């Protein structure tokens, strides 16, 4: 069973923006869509390691800032002709708070 | 009001053509009649989110008074939720150019370099390039840059092709502190890699050079201080050479000035990237003041009319140098362009870094 | 031995043509047959001091073993006493290129910028530009430049178009002291405005750039450290771009490298001065070592064959890119060119400033 | 009657070179030709003020380093199409010493 831990307020992330959370398992990028859905992805493009948290969020997709690869944040799969998949993590919003899979959080600090 | 200047088609022609409703096809037909072979480059939908062309969207933003990205998508029937990484930056640019005083720049619709006012690098670090007006600096500025490089463990300090000093490999978390330090030393930064005014390269000009014909350095400084912070459809590089020997390489810049004994030759549409293109002559004037006005006017004309991500040479190929020259040569049109440029600069000629920077006292 | 490579005419052809005695006219006729329309650019006397063309003089220096300016003037029947400001620098250049180990450079036959290893300015002051290999510098170097600027009351500090920092308006009497100070900080200078290797511009390349394909910065540094100090017929500017986006503007330099995924494209003959010229492709190689060898070889070919004051693009127009490429592509010819370049560099790759500088302890 | 003052040794000036002497009347450039003739000129080109002492000496002429104007050092007259004249001063060589018109020399220092 996944245990979720509160990592911050939804309002800390601008719509169509992202915020980076450092965990023991690496940097996790938490994205907020225009309609307040939230996704958590590894902050590392499988192509050349670009920081996806700096990409442009559109719909439920994000575009890597380095070379414009586009990922579906539901599945983590690269779209179009590009092949690859970015790791996704369980995340949810409850009462305006962002809850992340606790197994990721051993030491945690908001960046 | 210029409706579709980017193709040199008059307002009347367009209005007649689009009177019946949707216009893309009609505009294309008008263009086919007007431009001949150029129709091969006819506008398609700006991205998969819409069938409207860039030109149509821009025209409709004006005519319908659309003043936000969501409003554009709503009113023009965007097919996607929230657009994509292709249309969003373009819409954001078109809106801030059309409504500089009313529109609130949408950071989330910007590519990372414009959003962070810096240049992202391959490992997610950034480069920081402080402005040196016209390339001129001082011992104090050199020391401030040296201090910042050491304080933040910058792995490489490098002189850039734009006559500036770049600090490469800066960690994102250090950026606000570095900005604050450089601000404290009197330097503004950011925008070194933006789709906006880059640098104004200069040669030393007649103050020092034995063949210089005008004071190219001070003209370059004047232009950079007037134009910095402005957003443009793509990067905008300027150069001012004090004589036709052209040590500032002004004739492969987007806008260049080549000084001659009789004054200033203003040239546009150069490039030295994938291809090398020599500029073409736009105007000549004996007056430095008029040279500045011409450059501000053609910059504003480019801002208002070019498709997002078209450099000046590409826009010039579509709009036609003759049409551009006609706008600049007309005194009333020129003055209006300069005025609109200044209105926009009243918002954008400010140091975005200062807004975002962290006082160094609180840092580290 | 290449007799008259600058026009792409083979040794045999020339030897047959000149067997009977004076050759200028005959060479012209051969050229007319060989080159067609190019005869309009047929060589005339190099200046009013002689009827011999540059090409003839150079050939005769080789074939007659002439090893000093007076010997050339004596043996070739110079019409003036001591030549003039046009032929003397050319003769000095031809002799040092032909006999790098034997010929003693004649300072009195040099234009002021080469004689003083700096650039004279309109009021008789000078500019000083310290080398930053490939444009890369350090905080310590920035501080040393800042210190020198203040110590000698330099009126302007300016970033140059060649990715260096220039100190403008230096008094002649301060030059040796400033050289000593910069030497003490580990920098070599001089030649920033010479008819020799200027700078090697670079972009940041794949070490930092998200699109860089090779390490353009380190290749640029390697080239500059290998080639600095060499004299060439005219200024020699290099650029190395890490990808075809070409941020180092390599394709309007005399010699450029454009990195691609598969290696290095070497291009020559660009310019961004009175005219803008895009380079043409000379060679491609997957190997950085081979890229360096090709560049040294074509530089030496240019040194040995071009008329004094011809830039590479002008020489290329006379010699023909095909002929140049044939020399570079032939392994034995290429290796011999590189070897002759290195022999010359064993003399000239040294800091002329250090020889002339005054220890700062004794200064002021 | 011109009184000449010893200002230095001929050997201090390289053949086809020049040396600058500061006098109360301004900088005087003393030139030595290939055949050991000596000329003294004002060190200021009448065109744009270039320092003639940095020019190339050929025959009994000198070329200004700034814009290649050529002056006959006997008369000081610009040659060819250029119009102008640089001031010349009486100078002679005697016993390997350079003697300059004493009226120029109130305070003198070799530069």
């Amino acid at each position: 069973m996944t245990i979720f831990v509160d990592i911050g307020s939804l309002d800390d992330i601008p719509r169509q923006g992202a915020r980076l959370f450092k965990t023991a398992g690496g940097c996790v990028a938490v994205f907020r869509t225009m309609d307040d859905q939230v996704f958590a992805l590894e902050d590392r493009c499988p192509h050349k390691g670009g920081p996806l948290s700096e990409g442009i969020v559109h719909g439920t997709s994000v575009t890597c800032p380095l070379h414009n690869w586009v990922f579906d944040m539901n599945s983590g799969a690269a779209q179009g002709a590009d092949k690859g998949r970015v790791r996704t993590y369980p995340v949810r919003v409850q009462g305006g708070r962002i809850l992340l899979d606790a197994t990721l959080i051993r030491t945690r600090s908001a960046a | 009001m210029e409706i579709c200047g980017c193709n040199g088609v008059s307002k009347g022609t367009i209005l007649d053509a689009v009177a019946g409703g949707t216009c893309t096809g009609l505009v294309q037909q008008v263009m086919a009649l007007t431009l001949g072979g150029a129709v091969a480059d006819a506008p398609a939908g700006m991205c998969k989110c819409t069938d409207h062309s860039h030109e149509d969207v821009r025209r409709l933003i004006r005519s319908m008074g659309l003043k936000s990205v969501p409003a554009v998508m709503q009113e023009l029937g965007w097919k996607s939720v929230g657009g994509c990484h292709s249309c969003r930056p373009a819409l954001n640019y078109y809106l801030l150019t059309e409504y500089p005083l009313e529109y609130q720049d949408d950071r989330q619709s910007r590519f990372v370099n414009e959003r962070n006012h810096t240049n992202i690098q391959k490992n997610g670090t950034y480069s920081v390039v402080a402005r040196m007006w016209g390339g001129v600096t001082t011992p104090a500025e050199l020391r401030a840059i040296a201090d910042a490089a050491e304080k933040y463990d910058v792995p490489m300090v490098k002189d850039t092709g734009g006559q500036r000093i770049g600090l490469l490999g800066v960690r994102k978390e250090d950026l606000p502190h570095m900005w604050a330090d450089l601000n404290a030393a009197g330097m503004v930064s950011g925008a070194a890699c933006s789709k906006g005014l880059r640098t104004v390269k200069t040669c030393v000009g007649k103050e020092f050079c034995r063949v210089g014909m005008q004071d190219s350095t001070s003209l370059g400084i004047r232009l950079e201080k007037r134009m910095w912070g402005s957003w443009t459809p793509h990067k905008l590089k300027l150069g001012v050479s004090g004589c036709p020997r052209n040590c500032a390489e002004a004739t492969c810049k987007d806008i260049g000035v080549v000084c001659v004994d009789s004054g200033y030759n203003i040239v546009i549409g150069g490039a030295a990237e994938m291809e090398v293109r020599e500029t073409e002559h736009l105007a000549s004037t004996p007056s430095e003041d008029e040279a500045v006005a011409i450059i501000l006017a053609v910059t504003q004309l480019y801002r208002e009319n070019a498709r997002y991500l078209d450099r000046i040479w590409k826009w010039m190929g579509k709009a036609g140098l003759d049409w551009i020259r006609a706008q600049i040569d007309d005194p009333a049109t020129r003055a209006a362009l300069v005025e609109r440029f200044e209105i926009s600069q009243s918002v954008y000629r400010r140091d975005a870094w200062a807004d975002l920077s962290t006082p160094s006292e609180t840092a580290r």
Side-chain angles (χ1 to χ4, degrees), chain A, chain B:
Chain A
M1 186 188 101
T2 304
I3 299 173
F4 287 93
V5 172
D6 184 326
I7 58 167
S9 165
L10 181 64
D11 293 341
D12 292 344
I13 308 178
R15 285 204 171 103
Q16 297 187 306
R19 193 161 170 202
L20 203 56
F21 295 89
K22 288 182 180 159
T23 75
C27 279
V28 175
V30 180
F31 299 85
R32 179 183 181 184
T33 67
M34 183 67 102
D35 57 355
D36 292 342
Q37 294 182 69
V38 168
F39 297 94
L41 277 62
E42 186 180 10
D43 191 37
R44 195 172 188 289
C45 178
H47 172 221
K48 298 273 188 183
L52 296 176
S53 58
E54 298 291 352
I56 289 180
V57 175
H58 44 100
T60 56
S61 299
V62 61
T63 299
C64 177
L66 293 197
H67 308 92
N68 286 339
W69 282 34
V70 178
F71 297 89
D72 177 346
M73 295 193 287
N74 290 289
S75 65
Q79 305 294 290
D82 298 320
K83 299 295 170 205
R85 182 178 296 272
V86 61
R87 192 169 163 190
T88 63
Y89 303 104
V91 67
R92 61 168 66 156
V93 177
Q94 197 168 300
R97 305 297 297 178
I98 301 167
L99 306 178
L100 190 66
D101 181 352
T103 59
L104 277 169
I105 321 287
R106 283 179 223 145
T107 63
R108 161 206 138 208
S109 68
Chain B
M1 190 178 71
E2 193 57 41
I3 287 285
C4 190
C6 60
N7 281 285
V9 180
S10 80
K11 178 183 173 185
T13 310
I14 296 280
L15 288 183
D16 291 347
V18 303
T22 180
C23 63
T24 305
L26 286 167
V27 170
Q28 286 186 29
Q29 288 171 37
V30 171
M31 287 174 182
L33 293 169
T34 311
L35 303 173
V39 76
D41 195 26
M46 61 188 282
C47 66
K48 64 176 171 30
C49 304
T50 178
D51 295 330
H52 290 294
S53 68
H54 282 266
E55 289 73 15
D56 285 348
V57 168
R58 201 154 196 192
R59 183 183 56 77
L60 292 166
I61 284 172
R62 284 176 203 181
S63 58
M64 297 172 69
L66 304 175
K67 297 188 177 174
S68 73
V69 172
V72 172
M73 293 181 177
Q74 174 72 29
E75 297 299 322
L76 304 186
W78 238 244
K79 293 184 285 185
S80 65
V81 176
C84 70
H85 67 261
S86 174
C87 60
R88 284 247 306 282
L91 293 181
N92 184 54
Y93 170 76
Y94 294 148
L95 287 163
L96 73 81
T97 307
E98 189 64 24
Y99 307 109
L101 300 180
E102 299 170 72
Y103 179 69
Q104 178 70 41
D105 184 41
D106 177 16
R107 289 186 73 227
Q108 305 307 331
S109 290
R110 288 197 166 277
F111 291 122
V112 59
N113 287 356
E114 283 84 45
R115 186 174 345 111
N116 290 341
H117 304 287
T118 176
N119 189 28
I120 195 166
Q121 295 171 335
K122 71 165 195 174
N123 58 358
T125 63
Y126 293 83
S127 61
V128 171
V129 182
R131 274 207 186 280
M132 296 173 170
W133 308 105
V136 176
T137 185
T138 64
E141 287 185 350
L142 293 180
R143 290 195 189 100
I145 291 168
D147 290 347
E150 286 184 345
K151 181 173 176 183
Y152 302 103
D153 294 323
V154 168
M156 184 181 278
V157 183
K158 187 169 181 305
D159 219 287
T160 77
Q163 295 185 337
R164 303 298 183 267
I165 295 172
L167 302 174
L168 302 167
V170 180
R171 291 176 292 269
K172 190 184 178 191
E173 57 266 32
D174 288 334
L175 288 174
H177 309 295
M178 186 181 274
W179 297 340
D181 290 354
L182 294 171
N183 280 159
M187 280 180 278
V188 297
S189 304
C193 302
S194 69
K195 290 159 186 61
L197 181 76
R198 295 286 181 89
T199 70
V200 182
K201 290 182 75 168
T202 65
C203 66
V204 296
K206 76 171 180 183
E207 286 301 293
F208 289 97
C209 181
R210 59 192 157 118
V211 290
M213 293 170 173
Q214 307 291 343
D215 188 351
S216 48
T217 307
S218 78
L219 174 54
I221 292 170
R222 189 175 165 190
L223 287 167
E224 191 164 346
K225 290 201 168 178
R226 197 84 174 264
M227 295 172 71
W228 73 281
S230 58
W231 298 110
T232 45
H234 207 308
K235 64 184 83 166
L236 183 66
K237 299 179 175 181
L238 267 66
V240 183
S241 285
C243 83
R245 293 188 187 195
N246 192 20
C247 285
E249 301 185 341
T251 55
C252 59
K253 296 291 173 285
D254 294 290
I255 303 176
V257 180
V258 178
C259 297
V260 290
D261 267 334
S262 58
Y264 306 86
N265 289 332
I266 294 143
V267 296
I268 64 171
E273 304 205 310
M274 302 282 275
E275 292 178 79
V276 174
R277 286 170 184 270
E278 186 163 5
T279 48
E280 296 188 52
H281 181 265
L282 174 66
S284 292
T285 169
S287 152
E288 189 184 289
D289 287 348
E290 190 175 23
V292 171
I294 288 166
I295 289 166
L296 299 186
V298 75
T299 299
Q300 183 64 13
L301 195 67
Y302 168 58
R303 296 180 76 236
E304 292 178 0
N305 289 281
R307 181 189 288 209
Y308 191 64
L309 299 187
D310 276 358
R311 293 282 289 270
I312 284 191
W313 64 267
K314 200 160 186 179
W315 168 59
M316 191 165 81
K318 295 174 182 175
L321 180 57
D322 288 344
W323 178 81
I324 294 171
R325 191 183 287 122
Q327 312 311 303
I328 302 303
D329 285 351
D330 179 67
T333 306
R334 182 197 295 176
L337 285 164
V338 172
E339 187 186 353
R340 290 200 295 278
F341 183 79
E342 285 296 346
I343 288 170
S344 176
Q345 284 295 76
S346 73
V347 176
Y348 288 102
R349 186 168 46 213
R350 70 177 216 287
D351 185 4
W353 285 29
D355 302 343
L356 298 172
S357 71
T358 307
S360 54
E361 292 75 10
T362 71
R364 304 177 78 80

